[in-house]
């Protein structure tokens, strides 16, 4: 069976010399000839002799010995193999810069695609890009330098900040607010109705959902996430928080700043998370639960009660992480334990 | 870090007097001056002295004492704080009416947007609204007063009822039927193929999926839900049933009437749920399982066997709710129990 | 309450005689009059006296006795009720052929819809179909005979193979590669950024994601799936693998050939699955985990460590399937066990 290996060359092949890279990254050269050419930037496992790779941790340094990379980028103070090395103070900015240099992405055309449908009352900032078949509602505001991908829709009176990147097929409902420098991936839906129905006369009555969603600055929302608008107030995602794919945020939830919510996480209505929380994949937080600052929630957990600042919890229901490790380990001993207790009872009967 | 507070005024500021509201809601005034102005309708925590709030339960009544609200809406027979109160027979209709009065939503333009692509053989009802870049397939039917949001697509021979609301980016496949007054949120996909493959000669053969989906009247489907068409027959969602975001309904499933399926629930192939079931977040029901009427399924459960009418189950696998509470509580005592049994064995050996 | 039964006739009513069907399917007729008319092809439960149904297994044969079907399709060697039967060597190809004959689906128009926005540098194969409001980016390639549904978007330099079927509202990011004969359902997103952020100076820094996604031939991707591009290398879905709805595939994951991932499964970053794995609904695989060939992962499991070839695992964390059955059964005996041990301790104290 034939497979399809990628075969798309970047617009122009890039090659640099080590000395030139050192200058651009404000890096120090070690064991290196500044004239050594560098043909690419790659992971330790993929890099060949003409490539530069990077080492970010002691574990990476161990793996680096097996790498075929011709040179390394590394932070100061980390022992690395005896090969040409670019030393930097902070490695991740340098990694991003090298990616920019070696792997330029296809450019986005500035301007408004002729097929975009923009309401007359909408306000558009300078230098933005509206892709094909975009729809912008009445009185919506889109900030300068923002990119709205093909087929995305912005509802009436929504406000999108500056320098945001909305990939194709993002749907922002009316009156939603999105800050500056946010990234929304395809299929993300922001502002759908909260899930609230009351039984009236034996039938479910929909309670109108007219609150808003506020996405603060520097938030990233993964593909096919769904974030509900509040009932009357607001659903809020704090600045710098990142959501992976297929995350569900219910109405009136408040997520603090700098949180990371991994794939398929769900946060139920009116729950709150403090700043700097990490929620691992497929976990859920019950409605009206308060999760403190800096909390770590393990994968596939169900948080059913409040969690204090700085705690690490896991499990269904979620408990202290260390305790869970013991419980999970004990669990496999349970079938044998039942037999042991039966034996004890038998022996006691004999006495 | 700057945050982005919503700053969108409704088209016209609304203010009413208590007496006027009482008349519109068919409410009785208590401890109230009919001339008292009301500037807004808000939750107990958000309401200020010029706002009306509402109290729906005894718990709300306790919270209301702390509220700064200038007046309350409350059902008859519920003790409320000593402040002006609007008494109504049924509170939720009144809440919805007040939201309509105080928080009008941006209007939807009637008519067919010039960019909509409508097949010639499609039938469109009166007074509908097709947004920008909508696509309607051959012989599809869209009922009167229905709103189809920007970028939504309706497949060939699909039938959408009257007064439905499809938000932008909804995808209805060919031959799907949707009843009257249904609400479909962005990213909802109705009619994708059932997941059925058979191993033939060591390879997976796709079995053609040509059944339909029938969504009955008054159903709401959340953002990014996926509902598969049946193999040959039908997948059916009963009247008045509500699905939260990111719910997965597999082929040939039948969901009864008046059910609530919360975020990220999954119902596997050919499973059936009776009327009035509540399935809490992230739960799953195994294929071919029969869940009775009025069943409550707790959060993050895995229903692996049939559930009788009226049962409340939870857990993986799901068991009776009360039993689960005992099991879950016992679980944390397991590591210590192992030690206690070891101690018992040791002492018995000594005897 | 009125329900909405489907009422869409196929373009032309189909009827065949048994003898004609036998010929088309290369089948042998048993207990049958070749002139017997067949009005439809239906499941055992739905078929009426004028319909043909099918029996694929011994269990089906038992159910068939209750069926009202006028005739059966069955594989050689399977005992069937005493009714007219079409015998075939391999039943599933015959089932698909019968569906084609009796249940033709609405045709897809060839050609490029006038509203499609195709970049000048894009390369389009012969005989393809681009639906309304499709957007094709710069230097993208779409192979011959491929159907791109309304509102789908193909990013710059992406490559879609031949005879693929992209339903409406699929979003393929830049530089993604998709093989031949792939099926992508609505809302599928291929190539969104991997979820990688590093804490730099107390803030999360996004690490640029410039790798690709490679979808090999004959892959099917369910509605609202999300597949992330790799950091620098590739995310790969092996030939013939099938993903159900709402599946999340993180960056740098490698899925083998012929796998089946059921609804709402999530595979975390850099995990690998061998060929022919089956992952049941709502399960998750931890990042960097290696799952062997032919592994079966039970529903709602959390695979936290490597799994050898051919294993069957289930649970949170996932363990051997047989062991899990014992553990799960023991669990319900735990509350009683605690009492039994307390009793043993009491009696021992007395001694």
């Amino acid at each position: 069976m034939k497979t399809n290996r990628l075969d798309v060359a970047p617009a122009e092949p890039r090659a640099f010399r080590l000395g030139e890279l050192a200058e651009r990254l404000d890096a120090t050269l070690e064991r290196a000839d500044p004239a050594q050419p560098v043909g690419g930037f790659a992971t330790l496992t993929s890099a060949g002799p003409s490539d530069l790779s990077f080492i970010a941790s002691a574990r990476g340094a161990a793996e680096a010995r097996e790498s075929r990379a011709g040179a390394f980028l590394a932070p100061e103070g980390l022992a690395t193999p005896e090969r040409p090395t670019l030393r930097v103070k902070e490695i991740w900015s340098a990694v991003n810069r090298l990616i920019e240099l070696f792997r330029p992405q296809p450019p986005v055309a500035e301007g408004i695609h002729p097929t975009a449908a923009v309401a007359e009352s909408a306000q558009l900032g300078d230098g933005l890009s509206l892709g094909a078949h975009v729809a912008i509602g009445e009185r919506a505001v889109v900030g300068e330098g923002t990119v709205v991908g093909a087929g995305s829709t912005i509802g009436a009176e929504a406000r999108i900040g500056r320098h945001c990147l909305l990939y194709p097929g993002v749907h922002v409902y009316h009156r939603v607010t999105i800050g500056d420098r946010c990234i929304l991936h395809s299929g993300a839906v922001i502002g759908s109705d909260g899930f609230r129905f009351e039984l009236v006369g034996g039938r479910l009555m929909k309670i109108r959902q007219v609150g808003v969603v506020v996405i603060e600055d520097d938030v990233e929302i993964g593909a096919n996430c769904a974030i509900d608008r509040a009932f009357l107030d607001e659903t809020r995602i704090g600045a710098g928080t990142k959501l992976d794919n297929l995350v569900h945020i219910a109405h009136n939830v408040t997520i603090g700043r700098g949180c990371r919510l991994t794939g398929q996480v769900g946060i139920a209505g009116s729950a709150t998370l403090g700043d700097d929380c990490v929620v691992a994949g497929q976990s859920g937080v019950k409605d009206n639960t308060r999760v403190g600052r800096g909390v770590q929630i393990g994968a596939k957990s169900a948080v059913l009660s409040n969690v204090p600042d700085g705690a690490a919890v896991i499990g269904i229901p979620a408990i202290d992480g260390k305790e869970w490790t013991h419980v999970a380990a004990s669990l496999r001993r349970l079938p044998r334990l039942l037999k042991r207790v039966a034996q004890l009872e038998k022996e006691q009967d004999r006495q």
Side-chain angles (χ1 to χ4, degrees), chain A:
Chain A
M1 207 172 287
K2 185 176 72 70
T3 64
N4 298 273
R5 295 234 157 240
L6 185 81
D7 189 13
V8 176
E12 35 176 328
R14 302 288 176 118
F16 297 89
R17 294 188 184 277
L18 269 183
E20 188 184 353
L21 292 176
E23 201 169 300
R24 284 178 186 248
L25 300 175
D26 201 10
T28 313
L29 273 181
E30 260 173 42
R31 300 180 289 265
D33 170 8
Q36 181 182 328
V38 179
F41 179 64
T43 55
L44 290 169
T45 45
S46 301
S50 65
D51 293 327
L52 175 68
S53 189
F54 72 99
I55 307 172
S57 65
R59 194 181 139 203
E63 286 171 16
R65 258 174 261 130
E66 312 298 316
S67 173
R68 296 168 56 242
F72 297 113
L73 172 78
E76 290 172 1
L78 186 68
T80 54
E82 295 278 317
R83 279 182 244 174
T85 297
L86 286 163
R87 289 281 173 192
V88 287
K89 282 217 170 72
E90 194 281 292
I91 187 156
W92 296 112
S93 309
V95 164
N96 272 345
R97 186 79 183 101
L98 287 168
I99 292 173
E100 255 187 316
L101 290 173
F102 283 99
R103 302 279 288 265
Q105 296 299 291
V108 172
E110 210 184 284
I112 300 174
H113 194 279
T115 60
V118 181
E120 276 195 31
S121 56
Q123 293 172 45
L124 304 182
D126 291 336
L128 50 57
S129 166
L130 303 185
H133 314 118
V134 160
I136 311 277
E138 298 289 348
R139 296 171 298 284
V141 178
V142 183
E144 66 178 54
T146 282
V147 173
V148 182
S152 287
T153 64
I154 312 288
E157 298 170 17
R159 299 170 71 94
I160 315 289
R162 294 169 297 170
H163 305 290
C164 289
L165 174 49
L166 278 66
Y167 281 94
V170 168
H171 301 293
V172 177
Y173 278 48
H174 56 282
R175 293 192 184 159
V176 165
T177 293
I178 293 176
D180 295 340
R181 298 174 304 278
C182 290
I183 299 173
L184 279 72
H185 285 280
S186 292
V189 175
I190 320 289
S192 38
D193 284 348
F195 193 70
R196 182 154 184 189
F197 304 91
E198 299 286 343
L199 265 174
V200 175
R203 290 182 55 158
L204 294 172
M205 178 183 287
K206 177 180 176 69
I207 307 304
R208 287 170 189 271
Q209 303 289 304
V210 298
V212 296
V213 178
V214 180
I215 309 277
E216 296 180 2
D217 296 340
D218 300 299
V219 168
E220 183 160 343
I221 311 272
N224 288 333
C225 285
I227 302 180
D228 281 351
R229 66 193 316 111
F231 164 42
L232 287 170
D233 300 324
E234 65 175 35
T235 301
R236 182 173 284 264
I237 311 288
T241 282
K242 314 295 181 184
L243 273 58
D244 200 352
N245 298 334
L246 293 160
V247 169
H248 163 59
I249 306 288
H251 54 161
N252 297 76
V253 163
T254 301
I255 310 275
R257 297 171 173 206
C259 293
R260 276 169 280 182
L261 278 63
T262 324
Q264 298 174 317
V265 157
I267 311 291
S270 300
T272 61
L273 272 73
D275 297 343
D276 304 315
C277 289
V278 178
V279 186
Q282 300 186 331
S283 286
V285 174
K286 191 173 177 271
D287 57 282
N288 292 290
T289 306
R290 301 183 72 85
V291 173
R293 290 173 61 108
V295 169
Q296 311 256 350
I297 298 173
K300 233 182 178 86
S301 299
V303 176
L304 303 184
S305 53
N306 295 353
V307 181
D309 289 356
V313 299
I314 189 169
I316 307 174
I319 57 174
D320 172 75
K322 283 195 194 111
E323 188 183 351
W324 182 83
T325 306
H326 290 135
V327 170
S330 305
L331 216 47
R332 297 177 72 165
R333 299 173 63 188
L334 183 55
R336 174 91 189 89
L337 186 68
L338 281 160
K339 286 184 191 152
R340 286 162 62 191
V341 170
Q343 181 63 26
L344 280 168
E345 287 168 335
K346 210 165 117 188
E347 287 177 26
Q348 197 153 55
D349 280 356
R350 263 202 311 234
Q351 291 171 348

